[in-house]
Amino acid sequence: MFDLMRRNNNQMNSYNPFKEMEDFEKNFFGNAFDNFFTTKDLSEFKTDIIDEGDHYLLEADLPGFDKKDIDINITENALTIKASRHSKVEEREEKNKIVHIERSYGSYMRQFDVSEIDTENIKAKYSDGVLKLELPKKAKVLPASKKLEIE
C-alpha cells in the first residue's frame, strides 16, 4: 500500500513505485514549465505515513488551503487527495493593483493505494494546514479449518 522496503548493499532504503513512475513520466515527456519555476515541488505536496499498528496515519502538508478546497475521493483501490488554490487575480478584478506574485496557485494531487485499507472507516481531519487521515487496516482473513478424511 505505502512505501515498500527493499535491501540494497545491506541498507534499508524506501521504495516508492509511484514516485518512480512519476520520474519516468517526467523524464520521458519532460515538463514544459520547468523554466518558469525555481522549484519542482509545486506539483505535489509532502506526506508522512506512519504505521500505528491497527491503522496507518497519513499526514499531508497543505498550508494555506481552506477545507472547502480539499477533495478526498476513493475509487476502486485508490485514494486521491486533491487541493486547489485560486489566485487573487482570478477571484477579483485586481489586475492593476498587484505588483508582484510569488505564491503558487493551481491544483495539487496525490494518489495512494488503499487495497489493504478498510475504506468504509477512514477518518479525515484538517487543522493548521495539515490534513490527517486515519486509515484502518483491513482485518486479516484466516483460512477456515478443513478436516480431511483418511482413505
Side-chain angles (χ1 to χ4, degrees):
M1 170 176 155
F2 298 107
D3 290 337
L4 304 173
M5 303 299 279
R6 66 179 176 183
R7 287 195 179 269
N8 284 344
N9 299 332
N10 296 328
Q11 277 185 298
M12 293 296 281
N13 292 323
S14 178
Y15 174 66
N16 183 344
F18 297 107
K19 180 73 174 149
E20 202 169 279
M21 286 300 295
E22 183 180 324
D23 291 343
F24 171 77
E25 181 180 320
K26 283 181 182 177
N27 290 335
F28 187 77
F29 294 107
N31 188 348
F33 299 105
D34 273 351
N35 296 333
F36 297 106
F37 301 115
T38 57
T39 179
K40 293 184 180 182
D41 292 337
L42 294 174
S43 62
E44 66 180 31
F45 47 87
K46 304 300 180 195
T47 61
D48 293 335
I49 300 169
I50 302 151
D51 188 344
E52 298 284 351
D54 63 337
H55 70 278
Y56 293 101
L57 177 64
L58 185 147
E59 296 179 324
D61 286 342
L62 295 168
F65 287 93
D66 289 331
K67 195 185 301 188
K68 64 179 173 46
D69 295 331
I70 301 170
D71 293 320
I72 304 168
N73 294 305
I74 301 169
T75 55
E76 301 263 338
N77 289 327
L79 172 101
T80 303
I81 302 171
K82 184 177 180 180
S84 299
R85 187 176 356 208
H86 304 284
S87 75
K88 291 182 181 185
V89 175
E90 292 173 0
E91 293 173 1
R92 295 184 222 131
E93 293 294 325
E94 293 185 0
K95 292 180 184 177
N96 296 329
K97 293 182 183 180
I98 295 176
V99 176
H100 184 74
I101 295 178
E102 287 186 350
R103 296 184 299 164
S104 59
Y105 299 97
S107 294
Y108 307 82
M109 185 179 77
R110 295 281 303 266
Q111 281 192 320
F112 301 92
D113 177 7
V114 289
S115 58
E116 300 297 319
I117 298 299
D118 177 7
T119 56
E120 298 297 320
N121 294 307
I122 294 175
K123 295 178 185 169
K125 188 164 75 170
Y126 181 69
S127 176
D128 298 327
V130 179
L131 175 67
K132 293 183 180 185
L133 297 176
E134 188 176 302
L135 307 164
K137 296 178 182 178
K138 282 184 180 175
K140 296 192 181 205
V141 179
L142 299 174
S145 176
K146 180 180 176 182
K147 184 175 180 171
L148 294 176
E149 296 295 325
I150 301 173
E151 292 181 18

